[in-house]
């Protein structure tokens, strides 16, 4: 993989990740006359939960579901200039023009998986997923070195049912100036588990799941399973067999094996209801600076969907939204069995 860094018209950074065998990249200047960059977001703390809330009012004006011929993530062609000045690319990352976090409050990047507007990560194949893994790891390492960053979060939102505003296959990377509430809660559980049993929470969960009925697919280095207490109607967790804190810590063979397994898993998810599945795919990485937390953490991917039947969605109602108590109408064991049985 070849990495090339450049700047957009308003000074934002853009990084191209070209796959092996590609010719040397020509840097195309961004000729657009862009307005001044949006003001920074504001972090506020909820006094009742002590959790951070991001106020980013400038995002109200961001691009929303444009037609394909006006997609800002496609390559620039002819007289139409986009966020990517090049006429083609494999994988590219750049600073978000409408970031949720900016300045001293963090950084948000877009990661485009392909120049093809009409494809999806599920259809790109293991080779491209392997390139994306390297891009995730590279950006995670770089963003972790920025002053004030406490956690790096790589994720993909897919489908309008999830709230996606751009159809082009892409994900996002957030460099957060705080440790997320979910991470803090899970670290508390891992700490309590170690104190009570002397064991590693994630290792014990993985060991138990690999012996049970909820494994969907596995290989030498990874296992994908539906968790026992799944909150969403379709939910799959992907654990590495070796305990590592973050994406940059993965070995070459582990990255190779993940690309193969994840491509398989995404294909199964899309065939579950006979149509592309709306989902959130979320990487959980350890906090950047807290040594104890890094020792307690384990890298893992969680993929979940609001789709509960072919023509039915799960909406967060009173118990979920009001009290945080999830009610799942679908048995996790049934979802795992159906995903294992999907005809690829």
């Amino acid at each position: 993989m070849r990495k090339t860094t450049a700047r957009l018209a308003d000074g934002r950074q853009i990084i191209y990740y070209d796959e092996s065998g590609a010719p040397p990249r020509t840097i195309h200047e961004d000729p657009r006359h862009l307005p001044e960059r949006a003001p920074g977001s504001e972090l506020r703390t909820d006094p009742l939960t002590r959790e951070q809330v991001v106020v980013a009012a400038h995002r109200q004006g961001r691009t929303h579901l444009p037609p394909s011929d006006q997609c800002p993530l496609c390559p620039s062609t002819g007289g139409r200039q986009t966020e990517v000045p090049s006429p083609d690319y494999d994988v590219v990352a750049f600073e978000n023009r409408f970031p949720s976090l900016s300045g001293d409050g963090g950084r948000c990047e877009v990661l485009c998986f392909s120049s093809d507007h009409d494809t999806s990560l599920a259809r790109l194949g293991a080779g491209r997923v392997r390139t994306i893994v390297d891009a995730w790891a590279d950006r995670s390492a770089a963003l972790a070195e920025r002053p004030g960053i406490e956690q790096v979060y790589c994720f993909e939102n897919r489908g309008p049912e999830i709230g996606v505003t751009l159809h082009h296959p892409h994900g996002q990377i957030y460099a957060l100036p705080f440790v997320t509430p979910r991470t803090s809660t899970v670290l508390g559980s891992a700490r309590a588990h170690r104190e009570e049993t002397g064991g590693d929470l994630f290792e014990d969960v993985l060991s138990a799941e690999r012996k049970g009925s909820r494994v969907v697919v596995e290989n030498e280095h990874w296992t994908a399973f539906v968790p026992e207490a799944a909150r969403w109607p379709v939910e799959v967790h992907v654990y590495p067999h070796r305990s590592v804190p973050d994406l940059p810590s993965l070995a070459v063979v582990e990255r190779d094996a993940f690309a193969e397994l994840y491509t398989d898993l995404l294909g199964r998810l899309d065939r579950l209801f006979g149509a592309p599945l709306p989902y959130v795919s979320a990487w959980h990485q350890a906090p950047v600076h807290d040594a104890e937390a890094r020792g307690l953490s384990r890298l893992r991917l969680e993929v979940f969907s609001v789709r509960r039947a072919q023509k039915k969605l799960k909406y967060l109602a009173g118990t979920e939204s009001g009290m945080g108590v999830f009610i799942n109408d679908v048995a996790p064991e049934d979802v795992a069995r159906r995903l294992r049985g999907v005809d690829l």
Side-chain angles (χ1 to χ4, degrees):
M1 184 186 71
R2 183 187 298 110
K3 177 182 172 183
T4 307
T5 302
R7 292 283 174 180
L8 298 175
D10 56 2
R12 287 176 293 133
Q13 188 180 36
I14 184 169
I15 308 105
Y16 297 94
Y17 295 93
D18 293 311
E19 294 173 344
S20 58
R25 173 161 292 280
T26 300
I27 297 298
H28 293 79
E29 296 296 326
D30 183 0
R32 297 175 297 170
H33 297 286
L34 297 175
E36 291 186 13
R37 297 173 70 173
S41 55
E42 181 183 355
L43 292 179
R44 301 181 182 181
T45 302
D46 182 337
L48 301 185
T49 64
R50 299 188 179 184
E51 295 176 355
Q52 297 280 0
V53 175
V54 180
V55 179
H58 62 278
R59 282 174 54 80
Q60 278 282 48
R62 68 188 187 275
T63 307
H64 182 78
L65 297 177
S68 59
D69 62 352
Q70 297 179 29
C71 174
L73 306 185
C74 286
S76 293
T77 55
R80 193 175 79 86
Q81 297 295 322
T82 71
E83 287 286 79
V84 186
S86 173
D88 197 15
Y89 62 83
D90 291 332
V91 175
V92 65
F94 55 87
E95 293 180 68
N96 197 325
R97 188 176 171 188
F98 302 98
S100 299
L101 302 158
S102 58
D104 295 336
R107 173 156 155 160
C108 295
E109 297 185 351
V110 176
L111 184 71
C112 296
F113 302 147
S114 170
S115 60
D116 184 354
H117 180 87
D118 297 316
T119 191
S120 69
L121 189 53
R123 303 206 309 265
L124 286 172
R128 176 56 54 83
V129 173
R130 179 64 176 79
T131 302
I132 293 167
V133 173
D134 279 346
W136 279 328
D138 180 71
R139 296 313 302 149
S140 293
L143 292 170
E145 294 178 356
R146 293 177 61 86
I149 298 306
E150 298 296 334
Q151 191 171 9
V152 180
Y153 174 44
C154 304
F155 63 101
E156 180 193 3
N157 297 331
R158 188 215 190 178
E161 299 91 338
I162 296 296
V164 167
T165 58
L166 296 172
H167 289 303
H168 195 104
H170 72 287
Q172 299 181 64
I173 305 173
Y174 280 18
L176 299 158
F178 54 86
V179 175
T180 68
R182 178 73 186 279
T183 299
S184 296
T185 298
V186 172
L187 284 172
S189 297
R191 187 177 296 109
H193 184 82
R194 180 165 293 180
E195 292 172 353
E196 293 165 4
T197 70
D200 180 294
L201 173 63
F202 303 103
E203 186 65 33
D204 291 348
V205 167
L206 177 61
S207 177
E209 292 290 359
R210 294 185 73 188
K211 297 173 184 175
S213 62
R214 290 181 294 273
V215 171
V216 177
V217 61
E218 62 182 336
N219 60 27
E220 181 181 357
H221 297 285
W222 298 83
T223 293
F225 60 91
V226 179
E228 179 182 16
R231 297 181 300 171
W232 300 93
V234 178
E235 181 174 342
V236 180
H237 294 188
V238 185
Y239 277 36
H241 294 171
R242 185 171 68 96
S243 182
V244 295
D246 49 30
L247 286 157
S249 301
L250 290 173
V252 171
V253 292
E254 291 168 324
R255 299 182 188 198
D256 293 343
F258 173 81
E260 295 289 345
L261 180 140
Y262 194 44
T263 300
D264 182 336
L265 176 61
L266 290 176
R268 293 174 187 274
L269 291 173
D270 272 357
R271 288 169 176 79
L272 183 62
F273 297 116
L277 186 75
Y279 63 73
V280 174
S281 177
W283 278 110
H284 291 257
Q285 301 193 83
V288 172
H289 299 295
D290 187 330
E292 185 212 16
R294 292 182 67 80
L296 286 170
S297 297
R298 191 190 196 107
L299 174 73
R300 63 200 185 280
L301 181 70
E302 298 183 4
V303 185
F304 55 91
S305 177
V306 296
R307 175 78 60 198
R308 61 185 178 90
Q310 190 167 18
K311 296 183 179 181
K312 296 180 181 178
L313 300 179
K314 175 183 178 63
Y315 295 95
L316 298 190
T319 55
E320 290 97 348
S321 296
M323 298 303 289
V325 178
F326 275 69
I327 299 174
N328 194 346
D329 298 329
V330 184
E333 293 76 14
D334 182 53
V335 174
R337 177 185 57 78
R338 291 169 61 195
L339 286 171
R340 283 196 304 271
V342 165
D343 183 9
L344 296 178

